[in-house]
């Protein structure tokens, strides 16, 4: 048992071998009745870079607080030094007509859904969420935060497992609503906004038989992946994601809009190509795409773990001479409940070639 935030005990039950989906957990000792589940375990599919079963929890249902008249409520923001900054709703309302996007406060409908990210373990409450519709919204959000002395975070597609996009008491600058993609088949380039996932990008580029070397999971966000370097299925032939990055448009911490490329602000371009997200908020990426697909061969080969020494030697020798058109990864992990595996294999240690 573990102590919950409210002080009661939560009993964690075991997930069965074939238990795909979720198992609900209730407070109290085993067998205790729970009116509302407070957590769940969810078995997720295979990840080529992970050998663990990740545990998630659903946010428990909380009783709604007594409504406070909008004219009296004032969001409490945090400054960069951790001090509380109170901003009136009147000041926030003055910002609204300057934006194309939407400002969502904690007492607004849909606030909990909008602060949620891919990792449901992250349960943080920003003081306000600004859903951006374009670069001008991002610029306005940064300038507002600077003028009021408040801290802010930035969300792309919201896939980061550590949940860095969301923090308590900050202004969340949300670019997940910026999902435009434009492919130019003549120059084989593609311009991508920061809220897009890898699946979004693949869908548009494959319509022209093109692809950008990105990652391995379709739900990963293009912004976080690119700013961290980016490695995936096409990296053996086309390199990292940043090797196909031609330019970025971004908003700096001062609220200025800049373009960075090999010829324009080259030092900044060098920094954002793998240096992380603290050099500015990227509002669009321009990639060089490559001819690939739409027909590809892919799949999994699952071996008993006892055969790992021989299989890994063969895999090593295969990769030494095979064409760069082929990517083959080796993963040692617990076997997920895939439909083509016998039930007795589920949950056992296996070696997977992908």
């Amino acid at each position: 048992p573990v102590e919950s935030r409210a002080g009661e005990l939560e009993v964690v039950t075991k997930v069965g071998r074939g238990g795909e989906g979720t198992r609900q957990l209730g407070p109290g000792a085993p067998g205790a009745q729970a009116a509302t589940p407070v957590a769940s375990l969810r078995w997720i599919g295979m990840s080529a870079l992970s050998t663990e079963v990740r545990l998630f929890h659903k946010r428990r249902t909380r009783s709604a607080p007594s409504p406070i008249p909008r004219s009296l409520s004032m969001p409490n923001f945090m400054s960069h030094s951790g001090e509380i900054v109170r901003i009136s709703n009147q000041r926030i309302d003055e910002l609204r007509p300057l934006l194309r996007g939407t400002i969502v406060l904690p007492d607004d409908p849909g606030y909990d859904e909008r602060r949620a990210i891919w990792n449901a373990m992250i349960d943080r409450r920003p003081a306000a969420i600004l859903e951006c519709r374009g670069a001008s919204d991002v610029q306005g959000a940064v300038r507002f935060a600077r003028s009021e002395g408040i801290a802010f975070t930035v969300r792309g597609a919201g896939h980061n497992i550590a949940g860095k996009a969301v923090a308590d008491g900050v202004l969340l600058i949300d670019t997940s609503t910026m999902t435009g993609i434009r492919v130019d088949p003549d120059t084989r380039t593609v311009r991508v906004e920061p809220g897009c996932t890898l699946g979004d990008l693949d869908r548009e580029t494959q319509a022209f038989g093109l692809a950008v070397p990105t990652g391995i999971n379709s739900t990963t966000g293009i912004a976080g992946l690119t700013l961290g370097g980016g490695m995936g299925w096409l990296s053996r032939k086309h390199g990292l994601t940043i090797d196909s990055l031609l330019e970025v448009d971004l908003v700096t911490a001062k609220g200025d809009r800049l373009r960075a490329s090999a010829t324009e602000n080259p030092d900044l371009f060098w920094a954002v190509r793998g240096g992380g997200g603290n050099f500015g908020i990227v509002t669009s990426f321009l990639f060089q795409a490559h001819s690939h697909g739409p027909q590809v061969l892919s799949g999994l080969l699952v071996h008993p773990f006892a055969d790992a020494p021989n299989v890994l030697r063969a895999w090593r020798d295969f990769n030494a001479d095979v064409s760069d058109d082929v990517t083959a990864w080796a993963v040692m992990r617990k076997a997920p409940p895939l439909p083509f595996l016998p039930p007795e294999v589920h949950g056992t240690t296996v070696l997977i070639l992908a």
Side-chain angles (χ1 to χ4, degrees):
V2 293
E3 187 172 354
S4 74
R5 189 173 300 176
E8 76 273 17
L9 294 180
E10 299 174 0
V11 178
V12 179
T13 59
K14 184 179 180 181
V15 177
R17 281 188 175 182
E20 188 174 9
T22 62
R23 289 284 297 274
Q24 300 295 339
L25 312 178
Q33 298 297 317
T36 302
V38 295
S40 68
L41 293 179
R42 175 156 59 108
W43 177 279
I44 65 172
M46 191 202 76
S47 168
L49 296 180
S50 174
T51 59
E52 65 182 352
V53 177
R54 300 175 186 150
L55 302 182
F56 297 77
H57 77 274
K58 293 181 179 177
R59 291 185 192 86
R60 70 193 64 183
T61 303
R62 300 177 176 88
S63 58
S66 300
I68 301 174
R70 185 171 179 81
S71 60
L72 299 179
S73 62
M74 294 178 63
N76 288 332
F77 290 85
M78 298 291 291
S79 70
H80 288 285
S81 60
E83 299 174 344
I84 294 178
V85 179
R86 305 202 70 183
I87 300 177
S88 68
N89 277 317
Q90 180 181 354
R91 178 70 181 96
I92 293 176
D93 288 340
E94 291 172 354
L95 177 65
R96 294 180 190 273
L98 304 179
L99 305 170
R100 292 172 53 209
T102 304
I103 300 176
V104 182
L105 300 178
D107 55 352
D108 288 337
Y111 169 81
D112 283 334
E113 290 76 10
R114 285 164 165 150
R115 68 185 176 92
I117 56 175
W118 181 80
N119 182 358
M121 290 180 69
I122 305 301
D123 187 9
R124 299 170 188 157
R125 301 182 64 84
I129 302 170
L130 200 161
E131 296 180 324
C132 300
R133 299 292 178 184
S136 61
D137 282 356
V138 176
Q139 187 176 33
V142 172
R143 289 179 172 177
F144 176 81
R146 284 177 58 88
S147 67
E148 301 297 330
I150 59 176
F152 64 85
T153 60
V154 184
R155 176 161 97 177
H159 191 271
N160 179 266
I161 192 71
K164 294 181 178 179
V166 188
D168 292 325
V170 302
L171 172 64
L172 170 54
I173 301 177
D174 186 2
T175 66
S176 67
T177 46
M178 297 171 59
T179 57
I181 298 175
R182 182 181 182 277
V183 179
D184 186 336
D186 295 329
T187 60
R188 295 187 176 184
T189 58
V190 52
R191 187 168 293 279
V192 188
E193 290 190 326
C196 295
T197 65
L198 307 190
D200 297 331
L201 177 58
D202 288 342
R203 188 177 298 108
E204 298 301 322
T205 55
Q206 281 293 279
F208 300 93
L210 300 173
V212 175
T214 55
I216 60 173
N217 292 323
S218 60
T219 54
T220 301
I222 189 63
L225 179 94
T226 303
L227 296 176
M231 183 181 74
W233 297 113
L234 301 182
S235 293
R236 193 164 191 221
K237 183 171 186 178
H238 298 298
L240 301 178
T241 304
I242 55 174
D243 292 324
S244 295
L245 183 63
L246 300 177
E247 67 182 35
V248 298
D249 293 335
L250 57 76
V251 175
T252 69
K254 291 184 177 180
D256 298 328
R257 294 168 65 175
L258 297 178
R259 175 163 292 175
S261 67
T263 58
E264 191 173 357
N265 298 304
D267 288 347
L268 180 58
F269 187 58
W270 173 86
V272 299
R273 293 174 68 247
N278 284 330
F279 297 98
I281 305 175
V282 177
T283 56
S284 75
F285 300 84
L286 182 65
F287 294 103
Q288 183 68 60
H290 309 273
S291 296
H292 199 86
Q295 293 295 322
V296 297
L297 176 65
S298 63
L300 305 178
L301 299 175
V302 183
H303 297 269
F305 187 70
D307 295 342
N310 291 332
V311 174
L312 287 174
R313 291 187 186 98
W315 170 74
R316 176 196 61 195
D317 296 340
F318 173 81
N319 276 334
D321 300 321
V322 73
S323 165
D324 287 344
D325 289 318
V326 178
T327 296
W329 290 354
V331 181
M332 288 175 282
R333 57 160 294 162
K334 299 294 184 182
L338 297 173
F340 58 83
L341 293 178
E344 60 269 19
V345 176
H346 297 173
T348 64
T349 303
V350 293
L351 170 65
I352 301 176
L353 301 182

